[in-house]
Amino acid sequence: MDTQRGRTDRRTFLLIAGLPLLTVGAGMTYLLWPQPPRRPEVRTDLGPLNRRLGPFLGELSDAHWLGYDIEGPGDDRSIPGPDSRIRVVGVAHLAAGGAAAITGKPDHAFAAAGAPSDLPAALKQHLPAAASWQHSPAFDAHANGQGAAAGQASDGIPTGRYLFDTARDLVHFDVLYLFT
């Protein structure tokens, strides 16, 4: 009879100790299980764009853009790195004549450019196929310097490329903000 009592105590102990272990194991499995990557959604709000790009592009309208961390999904289950790199890429309309005013400045030396490369699939439908893009490395340097000077420390350090279509008053921007 004493043998039976020992088995009952051992079973009770295993049940009491095993249940929390199973719960912790299931929780860890959920946290570590690979999740499908979240696709960023196309945004149309103008506030963040006009705050960051407005000082050197002017007032933007009718924008379609994405802003995301290029290192990963950025959800609450990932460990943040020592720095993050946020890509802001999209297309927007400038005020009437805005593209011509920017590209007409001789100190920027704009030249014909090809269509934007490395464009996220979600944005392809918002870029006109027949656009005549113009690009200037000098304007990129000017805009990146203006963005760094006008921005606050929380805005990150910008590195970007800007393409303009004067016929449609469009700007395509692809900017990387480094936050350290």
Side-chain angles (χ1 to χ4, degrees):
M1 186 138 179
D2 206 17
T3 309
Q4 182 66 24
R5 179 171 163 78
R7 286 187 182 165
T8 304
D9 289 341
R10 190 175 18 216
R11 287 181 187 156
T12 304
F13 171 75
L14 290 174
L15 180 64
I16 292 171
L19 191 58
L21 288 174
L22 285 174
T23 304
V24 168
M28 291 300 291
T29 301
Y30 173 76
L31 288 175
L32 298 175
W33 196 266
Q35 299 294 318
R38 287 191 283 172
R39 294 177 48 160
E41 294 184 27
V42 175
R43 296 176 61 172
T44 57
D45 52 326
L46 297 171
L49 292 181
N50 281 323
R51 183 170 56 87
R52 287 188 170 93
L53 307 178
F56 49 89
L57 292 177
E59 190 75 19
L60 301 174
S61 64
D62 192 30
H64 294 88
W65 62 284
L66 297 171
Y68 59 93
D69 189 340
I70 65 170
E71 295 297 324
D75 61 14
D76 59 341
R77 290 190 283 180
S78 64
I79 299 171
D83 60 76
S84 61
R85 294 181 289 171
I86 305 299
R87 182 181 185 198
V88 178
V89 58
V91 63
H93 279 93
L94 298 168
I102 292 172
T103 59
K105 294 182 179 178
D107 54 335
H108 293 309
F110 276 87
S117 61
D118 193 27
L119 189 67
L123 290 175
K124 288 184 181 181
Q125 67 182 350
H126 300 290
L127 256 66
S132 297
W133 296 109
Q134 295 183 36
H135 176 250
S136 165
F139 179 81
D140 292 348
H142 166 74
N144 293 330
Q146 285 278 88
Q152 305 163 358
S154 63
D155 284 344
I157 301 165
T159 304
R161 183 167 194 244
Y162 303 86
L163 301 174
F164 295 90
D165 178 21
T166 56
R168 293 172 183 82
D169 277 319
L170 283 178
V171 61
H172 164 70
F173 49 90
D174 194 344
V175 185
L176 192 65
Y177 290 93
L178 176 63
F179 295 88
T180 56

